Amino acid sequence: MTATSVPSGPEVGTPAIDPQLHLEVTNFLATEARLLDEGREEEWYELLADDLLYSIPIRQAKEPRSTEVTRKAFRMRDRKAHVRMRLNRLATGHAYSEVPPSRTMRLVGSVEVAAGSAVDLIAVSSALLLYRQRGIDTHFDLIPCRRNDNLRRTKDGLRLVTREVILTETSLATPNLGVWL
């Protein structure tokens, strides 16, 4: 699988995966969530593979479930270089969607793990509920989504190769999406 391929989570009914691998993947996702919640984006960046593809496709409310997610239009479709640019911009203090920075809490669950489409990949599906509040705002956001990831084992540990975020809502109530899902 290349990073340009559409990531997919484990299929229903796939053979059980090694419990140790499931634990390792779950710990990776928990660590990733904690790093982002604590504003440690540079450490999170180190968990990304060089050939990363991070995408959030558009979901159409009027379409049947089988075709409601289009992979022709995206809220975000970034490579690792784009992520680097976003992080550099955040560090300037002039990324006004994050001044002051969001306070977040990511709840990751429903983790499913299976062999990936290539020998070195692990397919992962997880549910994410993101709580987000900015210090100057009286409201908060709850952003639920399903994430379909591909992870690769490296000598330095697991690395995120692809992430496809399927937002539950078709219209986001948040005024901006300046955080990582």
Side-chain angles (χ1 to χ4, degrees):
M1 172 177 207
T2 65
T4 58
S5 301
V6 176
S8 62
E11 294 295 321
V12 174
T14 54
I17 200 81
D18 172 33
Q20 186 60 37
L21 178 60
H22 190 276
L23 179 61
E24 185 179 0
V25 167
T26 302
N27 284 340
F28 175 87
L29 296 175
T31 298
E32 178 191 28
R34 183 174 45 81
L35 291 173
L36 289 169
D37 287 343
E38 293 176 358
R40 296 162 56 188
E41 290 87 359
E42 291 299 329
E43 291 175 68
W44 170 74
Y45 182 79
E46 295 302 317
L47 299 178
L48 308 179
D50 289 340
D51 56 342
L52 172 77
L53 176 61
Y54 185 109
S55 64
I56 306 175
I58 299 293
R59 184 176 217 160
Q60 301 292 320
K62 295 183 179 183
E63 298 295 324
R65 279 190 184 257
S66 61
T67 59
E68 70 182 355
V69 177
T70 177
R71 291 177 176 89
K72 296 178 182 174
F74 299 88
R75 292 182 186 276
M76 179 185 294
R77 185 173 165 84
D78 284 359
R79 297 285 185 182
K80 192 171 183 180
H82 298 114
V83 173
R84 176 78 271 154
M85 278 193 311
R86 289 177 190 268
L87 293 179
N88 289 347
R89 185 166 182 268
L90 282 174
T92 67
H94 297 293
Y96 297 113
S97 65
E98 284 300 305
V99 176
S102 295
R103 305 304 185 237
T104 61
M105 178 62 66
R106 289 165 177 81
L107 179 60
V108 180
S110 300
V111 178
E112 297 175 283
V113 179
S117 59
V119 175
D120 65 338
L121 294 180
I122 304 162
V124 181
S125 176
S126 64
L128 174 74
L129 180 60
L130 173 72
Y131 168 88
R132 174 180 179 234
Q133 194 272 334
R134 290 179 60 223
I136 59 172
D137 296 337
T138 56
H139 72 280
F140 62 88
D141 300 318
L142 285 177
I143 304 173
C145 62
R146 167 73 50 190
R147 302 183 307 179
N148 298 313
D149 298 341
N150 278 294
L151 303 179
R152 178 182 298 130
R153 185 180 307 286
T154 72
K155 64 179 177 56
D156 298 318
L158 295 176
R159 295 294 178 258
L160 180 64
V161 178
T162 61
R163 171 160 290 158
E164 179 184 61
V165 178
I166 307 298
L167 295 167
T168 303
E169 300 169 324
T170 56
S171 297
L172 289 177
T174 185
N176 62 64
L177 192 54
V179 295
W180 301 98
L181 299 172

